[in-house]
Amino acid sequence: MAYFDEISKVKYEGRNSDNPFAFKFYNPEEKINGKTMEETLRYGIAYWHTFTGDGGDPFGAGTAIRPWDHLKGMDLAKARVEAAFEFFEKIDAPFFCFHDVDIAPEGDTLRETNKNLDEIVAMIKEYMKDSKTKLLWNTANNFTNPRWTHGAGTSPHADVFAYAAGKIKKGLEVGKELGAENYVFWGGREGYESLLNTNMKLEQSNLASLYHMALDYSKEIGFDAQFLIEPKPKEPTTHQYDFDVATATAFLQQYDLQDHFKFNIEANHATLAGHTFEHELRVARESGMLGSVDANQGDLLLGWDTDEFPTDLYSTTLAMYEILKNGGLGRGGLNFDAKVRRGSFETDDLFHAHIAGMDAFAIGLKVAQKMIDDNFFEGIVDDRYETFKSGIGKQIVDGKTSLKELEAHAIDIKDINLKSGQVEKIKAKMNQYLLNI
Ligand SMILES: [Mn+2]
């Protein structure tokens, strides 16, 4: 059965195309700096938002009209697999991502859940044989079911911790079975609401133990995926342990996990943490831990995680700058952890939204590459820190000076020739780059 009958394969038609079902900027075969756009951008489709989500929010029921709405249970799960692979083919997606509960319904026990998963995973494996779409990452949903109310790996109850461990074990097996490139840990409810009843040290140490056990088990079964932590500062808990990249880096270092994890960085989580998307990418890149990206955007007028499709070209350009300076995303990719707005309830909107996001990052890639070719930011930064290249500045950088020497250098200085930061001039030039692609 076809679920998106009226839509044919989305193709690149160029910037002047009037066809809403065509890419205007994303041309998968076009080479940018020696690599095709498809190879660099490594787009992924988020199963949960696109096939499982129904447009419901805390104030109202789902609005989405989907051709699989009439089905339930395992029949619904199977229809979603069929629809997903038809969608992947039509949108030309190289990757997809899922949580366990997105693809198969939970049973009353972990044993029943695993049985449902096995059936759907076998079906997905069959579909993958005839599809170019690969699994970018999978993960365990340890946050939706009421048992995770107080956390999963940070739960105050040992049975909940064991249940979480069992689900992760299964997730690693599923990842191996489907050839996942990465395995993601999003903290979900790993945090706390109030210190009045919380043993923070025990919770964090238990979480680290869970990660170590996951590493051991993946080694044992020969699953060589890249492990990724996805920071988020708040929501659902008040204080999430993986607040941002810097906080999560300290956690990984404290528990000797830093050599085994990279980060999956989500734009909307960055802005919730009070950072820009590019800030989080930069912090991860500078420590060699930029692994993958959840490509979306938040609404800066709202204080919660809106998971919108990315359309802000400043943001996609600065993100692609970080990704290109990182030498690409390696085994990671750009996963559209994004949902159509509740009011965008028609099936066609799934295509419009992905086309918008794919074009926005394609523009970002082209503009960022052009700026790198021109040494645009590098030139600005190089000039700005010029005084550290020689003399006392070089001695500071090389660690060859002292407070005494620095005082002697500074003691009679009257005028320091500080230069303007020229942020407005830089932004105006960036606008020229964006308009001239
Ligand atoms: Mn989000």
Side-chain angles (χ1 to χ4, degrees), residues 118 134 156 212 216 250 255 262 353 405:
D118 286 341
K134 294 194 222 140
H212 275 290
D216 290 345
Y255 292 101
K262 287 189 177 178
E405 266 184 36

Side-chain angles (χ1 to χ4, degrees), residues 341-377:
R341 298 301 84 197
R342 189 164 182 267
S344 305
F345 47 75
E346 293 175 6
T347 306
D348 285 1
D349 291 311
L350 294 174
F351 284 88
H352 297 317
H354 281 89
I355 290 167
M358 291 160 92
D359 273 338
F361 267 92
I363 292 169
L365 166 60
K366 292 179 90 161
V367 176
Q369 185 61 54
K370 180 80 175 77
M371 292 194 301
I372 289 171
D373 291 345
D374 292 350
N375 254 358
F376 177 56
F377 291 122

Side-chain angles (χ1 to χ4, degrees), residues 48-49 186 230 232 235 266-269 272 294 296-297 304-308 337-338:
W48 54 102
H49 286 313
W186 172 54
E230 183 177 325
K232 185 176 184 182
E235 198 197 45
E266 176 174 326
N268 204 165
H269 294 182
L272 285 176
D294 267 9
N296 64 14
Q297 66 187 30
W304 63 91
D305 194 10
T306 56
D307 286 343
E308 296 177 22
D337 182 8

Side-chain angles (χ1 to χ4, degrees), residues 170-353:
K170 186 67 180 175
L172 297 171
E173 291 161 4
V174 166
K176 186 184 180 218
E177 180 72 8
L178 297 178
E181 298 271 348
N182 307 271
Y183 188 85
V184 165
F185 295 86
W186 172 54
R189 296 188 188 273
E190 314 295 24
Y192 69 90
E193 186 186 0
S194 169
L195 267 187
L196 301 177
N197 59 7
T198 299
N199 184 339
M200 195 198 285
K201 185 79 189 163
L202 178 69
E203 290 197 359
Q204 292 204 313
S205 151
N206 282 350
L207 185 60
S209 299
L210 187 59
Y211 290 160
H212 275 290
M213 286 187 260
L215 281 166
D216 290 345
Y217 189 66
S218 68
K219 200 183 266 181
E220 189 184 323
I221 62 171
F223 178 40
D224 71 344
Q226 169 67 57
F227 276 23
L228 301 169
I229 298 251
E230 183 177 325
K232 185 176 184 182
K234 57 190 168 189
E235 198 197 45
T237 68
T238 314
H239 305 271
Q240 295 276 139
Y241 290 132
D242 301 331
F243 187 94
D244 60 2
V245 170
T247 309
T249 300
F251 171 85
L252 292 172
Q253 285 173 345
Q254 185 179 355
Y255 292 101
D256 199 24
L257 289 157
Q258 71 278 3
D259 296 337
H260 308 286
F261 282 82
K262 287 189 177 178
F263 289 105
N264 182 42
I265 295 171
E266 176 174 326
N268 204 165
H269 294 182
T271 50
L272 285 176
H275 301 307
T276 59
F277 183 22
E278 58 271 20
H279 167 92
E280 288 291 84
L281 294 167
R282 175 74 62 94
V283 175
R285 168 164 84 80
E286 302 227 307
S287 56
M289 292 171 87
L290 172 50
S292 199
V293 167
D294 267 9
N296 64 14
Q297 66 187 30
D299 186 327
L300 298 182
L301 302 179
L302 302 175
W304 63 91
D305 194 10
T306 56
D307 286 343
E308 296 177 22
F309 273 83
T311 51
D312 177 339
L313 302 182
Y314 253 72
S315 174
T316 60
T317 299
L318 293 173
M320 285 314 302
Y321 175 80
E322 297 301 327
I323 290 167
L324 291 172
K325 294 298 275 187
N326 192 56
L329 286 169
R331 302 183 74 178
L334 292 170
N335 167 51
F336 291 108
D337 182 8
K339 59 188 170 193
V340 289
R341 298 301 84 197
R342 189 164 182 267
S344 305
F345 47 75
E346 293 175 6
T347 306
D348 285 1
D349 291 311
L350 294 174
F351 284 88
H352 297 317

Side-chain angles (χ1 to χ4, degrees), residues 10-11 18 60 135 144 191 233 331 341 371 388-389 397:
V10 177
K11 294 195 176 109
D18 281 328
L135 185 56
T144 298
R331 302 183 74 178
R341 298 301 84 197
M371 292 194 301
F388 285 98
K389 284 184 202 150
V397 172

